Amino acid sequence: MTNEQIIILIFAVVAVVVANFVRNRYRHEFIVTEGYAGLLYHEGKLTGTLAAGRHVRWGKNYRVALVETRKTLLQVVGQEVLSADNVGVKLSVVLTTQIVDAAKSVQAADNHAAHIYSATQTAVRTIVAGLTLEALLTQRVAIGVQLRDLVAPQAEAVGVQVHAVEVRDVMLPGELRKAFSEVLKAKQEGQAALERARGESAALRNLANAARLIEGQPALATLRFLQTLEASNAGQTFVMNDLSALLPSLSSRGAKPSTPEPEET
């Protein structure tokens, strides 16, 4: 091996070592998984947002912070609020939220979830104070829409979209729950009594119609009696001395005329 070849080999080895050094020190590779957004920081300054996939950056002092962008549920526990008719109630609310601007969600507020939580509590107090207890119990869907309209602008200010707001529970004081249970029970009992009365009225009308039919056509009573005997199928023997009541048609028939006796000549 000549001196020139040795020098070339030395330069090649040095080049490989330098390239590996530069690569290890200044090349940064980041992987962002689905359902997350990567916030790219360079020397502590946010420089951009990385989508899902593989990303390479050259330089020093790069780092990536992952922010979840999937839909999440935020539950706001019940807080006691006075309704328009001065009844203390507790509403528990569940919000379906999703981060749509990862950079804003970490820059606009130190804790975007706490920010939305507080905004929801304020909205609940505002809406409940203007509704009666009956409206709170019967208009949950409409209340959820109103809550979303109030919370959505404040959530967007921190990079979060509110997809839906659902009123899960309306909790009442113990005495009031008992009163509502008694009212509901009374309504159900009254409904059952009304249905029974309707059934009895219908049965009486049917009986009256049947009586009018039998009065006009007495033979129907006989047919109905025979059907009853057949349906009972009890294997019993009935002995009746007088069938005129059951066979009125017999009474209408005259007895056979007797054969006239021959006259004597």
Side-chain angles (χ1 to χ4, degrees):
M1 181 179 293
T2 63
N3 291 334
E4 293 179 357
Q5 292 176 336
I6 294 175
I7 293 174
I8 294 173
L9 180 60
I10 292 174
F11 274 108
V13 172
V14 172
V16 171
V17 172
V18 172
N20 288 333
F21 175 78
V22 172
R23 177 185 176 87
N24 294 333
R25 186 172 180 82
Y26 296 101
R27 183 181 184 275
H28 303 276
E29 181 178 314
F30 307 104
I31 301 295
V32 180
T33 57
E34 288 286 349
Y36 290 83
L39 299 180
L40 181 63
Y41 290 89
H42 182 222
E43 295 182 351
K45 183 179 180 180
L46 180 63
T47 60
T49 302
L50 304 180
R54 176 175 172 271
H55 305 272
V56 177
R57 293 292 185 274
W58 290 89
K60 295 177 62 177
N61 302 322
Y62 278 101
R63 73 178 183 87
V64 169
L66 296 179
V67 177
E68 186 174 2
T69 57
R70 295 176 294 182
K71 291 182 180 180
T72 58
L73 296 178
L74 177 62
Q75 183 171 2
V76 180
V77 298
Q79 54 175 339
E80 188 167 353
V81 185
L82 287 178
S83 63
D85 44 3
N86 293 324
V87 177
V89 297
K90 291 183 179 181
L91 265 72
S92 63
V93 180
V94 176
L95 294 85
T96 303
T97 62
Q98 184 178 18
I99 294 177
V100 294
D101 190 335
K104 185 184 289 188
S105 69
V106 299
Q107 290 180 325
D110 61 340
N111 188 335
H112 66 273
H115 178 81
I116 298 173
Y117 190 99
S118 177
T120 304
Q121 286 185 321
T122 303
V124 168
R125 287 194 293 269
T126 301
I127 291 178
V128 172
L131 296 175
T132 62
L133 179 60
E134 183 178 359
L136 291 175
L137 295 175
T138 58
Q139 302 177 11
R140 295 190 182 186
V141 176
I143 294 173
V145 174
Q146 296 177 26
L147 286 173
R148 183 188 177 281
D149 294 340
L150 291 178
V151 176
Q154 301 187 52
E156 291 176 358
V158 293
V160 179
Q161 180 181 359
V162 179
H163 292 282
V165 179
E166 179 183 358
V167 178
R168 286 286 179 88
D169 298 310
V170 179
M171 293 166 281
L172 307 176
E175 296 181 356
L176 197 57
R177 286 200 305 271
K178 182 179 179 181
F180 268 97
S181 299
E182 293 177 353
V183 171
L184 180 60
K185 181 179 179 181
K187 287 183 178 179
Q188 292 176 344
E189 291 177 350
Q191 187 67 25
L194 179 61
E195 292 298 328
R196 286 195 299 269
R198 289 175 178 174
E200 291 175 358
S201 298
L204 290 175
R205 284 195 298 270
N206 291 335
L207 289 176
N209 292 335
R212 285 195 293 270
L213 288 174
I214 292 174
E215 183 179 2
Q217 300 180 4
L220 291 177
T222 303
L223 295 177
R224 182 56 180 165
F225 177 73
L226 295 177
Q227 288 176 352
T228 303
L229 293 180
E230 181 179 1
S232 64
N233 196 18
Q236 299 178 0
T237 302
F238 294 88
V239 178
M240 304 185 67
N241 295 326
D242 185 8
L243 296 179
S244 60
L246 296 176
L247 301 174
S249 58
L250 294 179
S251 60
S252 62
R253 298 178 183 175
K256 287 185 177 182
S258 58
T259 305
E261 297 179 357
E263 296 181 358
E264 294 182 357
T265 59

